[in-house]
Amino acid sequence: MTVAVSTPAAATDLERYHTLAYTAGVVTALGVLQAETSPGIVPVGPGGHTLLPAAVYAASDRYATPQGPRPQPYGQTVLDRVVTGDGELIAWRVPGGGPDPDTGAAWTAGIAWIRLGLTTRLLEQAAEHLRGRTIAGVVTLHLPMVRGILADAAAGIAEARALLDTDAYGTDLRRVHRTLDESGRNCLHLFGAAGFLTDGPGGDLHVSELLAETYPPPTDMEAS
C-alpha cells in the first residue's frame, strides 16, 4: 500500500499502523509508515527535528522540507538515542527541515495512529499488572478507585479512536494527542514505582510523547 496525498488514505487504511505499534512495537511501525508514506525521505517535524529508527536514515537519500525534499546532508549530529522495546530511535536536528507539503499530512496522521496502538497496549499491560496483585486480600484490579482510573484511560483511548475514525487528517489531531497523553499517564500511575523505570512502561510512554512533540499536527492557523 502506498499512501498518496492526492487520494488520502482512509482511516481503515491508516489503522494498520495502530495494529503494528500494538503488536510489533514503535520501531517497526515507524519503519513501515515511512516506507509507505515517504519512501527515501526522512520525515522532519516543524521544529526541524526527527525521531526515527536508524534503518530509516540509512535507507533515505533525501529529507523533508516545506519546499519539498532535499538531498540528505551527511554527518548529522545525533541529539539523542532512545531505547524502545523493539529497538532504538535516533533523534537528529535538521536545519531547514520541516514537513513536506506532499507527504506531511499522511505522516502526521500515521503518528497519531501509532500512538493509539502504543497507548492501547499500555492500558492492557496495566490491567494485566494489576490482576496479579492484591491489597488486603482483594485483587487490585477490583478496587473501585483503580477501576475508575482504568475506565478513564479506556474512555480517552475510545475518544481518540473515534476522532481518528471520523477524520484521520482533521485538525482534531491535536485533541487526539492531548487525549492520548492523559490516558497514557493515567495508565502509568497504575504500575506504581515500576511505571517510572526507563526500561518499563514509563519508557514506552516517554517515546510516545516524544513522537507527538517531534511531529505535531499543524495548528488551525497553519492548516488554513
Side-chain angles (χ1 to χ4, degrees):
M1 178 188 74
T2 300
V3 178
V5 174
S6 58
T7 55
T12 51
D13 299 318
L14 292 168
E15 183 181 2
R16 69 171 305 198
Y17 304 122
H18 158 274
T19 303
L20 280 169
Y22 177 84
T23 58
V26 65
V27 170
T28 300
L30 285 171
V32 174
L33 174 63
Q34 185 268 347
E36 295 181 344
T37 62
S38 50
I41 302 171
V42 172
V44 184
H49 295 91
T50 68
L51 184 65
L52 298 164
V56 169
Y57 297 118
S60 303
D61 59 3
R62 292 165 292 163
Y63 69 98
T65 80
Q67 294 76 41
R70 295 288 185 270
Q72 181 172 302
Y74 292 93
Q76 294 284 63
T77 300
V78 174
L79 298 178
D80 197 10
R81 295 179 182 272
V82 183
V83 177
T84 75
D86 65 325
E88 182 183 67
L89 300 179
I90 301 173
W92 276 6
R93 174 78 173 93
V94 185
D100 185 291
D102 292 332
T103 60
W107 173 263
T108 303
I111 291 293
W113 280 96
I114 287 174
R115 292 200 68 211
L116 179 66
L118 295 175
T119 309
T120 302
R121 185 171 67 178
L122 186 63
L123 175 63
E124 294 195 5
Q125 290 173 335
E128 186 62 30
H129 174 79
L130 295 170
R131 286 191 184 97
R133 283 159 174 74
T134 61
I135 296 178
V138 178
V139 176
T140 308
L141 184 63
H142 297 161
L143 295 173
M145 181 179 294
V146 170
R147 294 184 71 85
I149 295 173
L150 281 170
D152 287 343
I157 290 171
E159 178 185 351
R161 176 61 184 265
L163 290 169
L164 289 172
D165 281 337
T166 301
D167 184 4
Y169 292 85
T171 55
D172 272 346
L173 281 178
R174 286 190 171 271
R175 182 177 167 190
V176 168
H177 284 301
R178 289 195 300 270
T179 301
L180 292 176
D181 285 345
E182 184 176 351
S183 292
R185 291 170 189 177
N186 279 334
C187 291
L188 202 60
H189 289 303
L190 297 173
F191 289 94
F196 297 91
L197 299 176
T198 56
D199 60 349
D204 294 338
L205 179 61
H206 179 59
V207 169
S208 177
E209 293 186 353
L210 281 178
L211 284 174
E213 293 173 4
T214 305
Y215 301 106
T219 62
D220 292 342
M221 183 175 296
E222 292 168 337
S224 62

